[in-house]
Amino acid sequence: MNAVFPGSFDPITNGHMDVLTRAAKIFDHVTVTVMHNARKQGKHLFTLEERLAILRADTAHLPNVSVDSFGGLLVNYMQQQGKGIIVRGLRAVSDYEYELQIAHLNRQLGEVETVFIMAATRWSYVSSSMAREIASYQGDIGSMVPPASAAALRLKFADGQQGQIERGG
């Protein structure tokens, strides 16, 4: 059985990696899909290409995980790929309330199921936005994000310059 783990991953965090690693043990294959929305163009720290490169580098050790991107409705992507399971991570009750609505809509629109995986407690405080904020002040984000994400954040905020992310396999 195959699943899709969608998100903006700007950048991927250790909480995301926790959920993804556990999903990779449950499903035969998991596709991490960077969803991009034209209305949010320019609102991400990393470009789509940079996020894909970071994800490929940080997930290279997971043999049954691949990385992809899609613009549009997730249910359309699911139908195009012939996949029917969405994996979503939850950190808190507030995540559940939002994700439950989305899961119901996705089920109604595309007959896909959503599987929720609780992030480990040690990652419940970590979010991409918090990691970006801390990195912007040159704070230590090494315990919050995987290596490629940490390197990309450091490079992006080095001397206030917008650096290029080294492309990974």
Side-chain angles (χ1 to χ4, degrees):
M1 191 174 308
N2 298 329
V4 171
F5 183 33
S8 59
F9 304 109
D10 189 34
I12 191 166
T13 67
N14 283 341
H16 293 128
M17 288 300 297
D18 173 56
V19 169
L20 176 59
T21 301
R22 290 165 49 214
K25 292 177 183 175
I26 297 169
F27 297 100
D28 297 326
H29 187 267
V30 180
T31 304
V32 181
T33 304
V34 178
M35 302 302 291
H36 55 98
N37 182 333
R39 292 189 329 254
K40 292 186 178 182
Q41 194 74 10
K43 294 185 180 181
H44 294 291
L45 176 63
F46 295 103
T47 66
L48 175 62
E49 292 76 20
E50 288 171 330
R51 287 181 280 154
L52 291 169
I54 293 165
L55 280 164
R56 287 185 183 108
D58 280 332
T59 62
H61 67 286
L62 298 169
N64 65 330
V65 170
S66 61
V67 175
D68 197 6
S69 67
F70 186 75
L73 287 175
L74 177 58
V75 293
N76 292 343
Y77 175 80
M78 302 292 288
Q79 289 169 346
Q80 288 175 9
Q81 299 297 311
K83 297 180 180 172
I85 308 264
I86 299 169
V87 172
R88 296 298 293 166
L90 300 174
R91 293 176 297 162
V93 173
S94 57
D95 288 348
Y96 178 73
E97 291 171 355
Y98 171 77
E99 292 292 346
L100 182 63
Q101 284 183 306
I102 302 301
H104 285 309
L105 284 170
N106 285 334
R107 177 78 177 116
Q108 184 70 31
L109 291 172
E111 296 185 20
V112 296
E113 297 295 337
T114 300
V115 173
F116 297 112
I117 298 179
M118 294 296 301
T121 304
R122 70 180 176 269
W123 306 122
S124 63
Y125 67 94
V126 176
S127 69
S128 295
S129 59
M130 288 187 181
R132 289 191 309 266
E133 172 112 7
I134 293 167
S136 74
Y137 292 101
Q138 285 72 44
D140 182 8
I141 41 85
S143 65
M144 296 179 212
V145 297
S149 292
L153 283 164
R154 286 185 200 105
L155 184 60
K156 189 66 84 165
F157 290 112
D159 301 321
Q161 297 177 9
Q162 300 294 310
Q164 287 285 330
I165 305 306
E166 184 176 329
R167 301 295 185 237

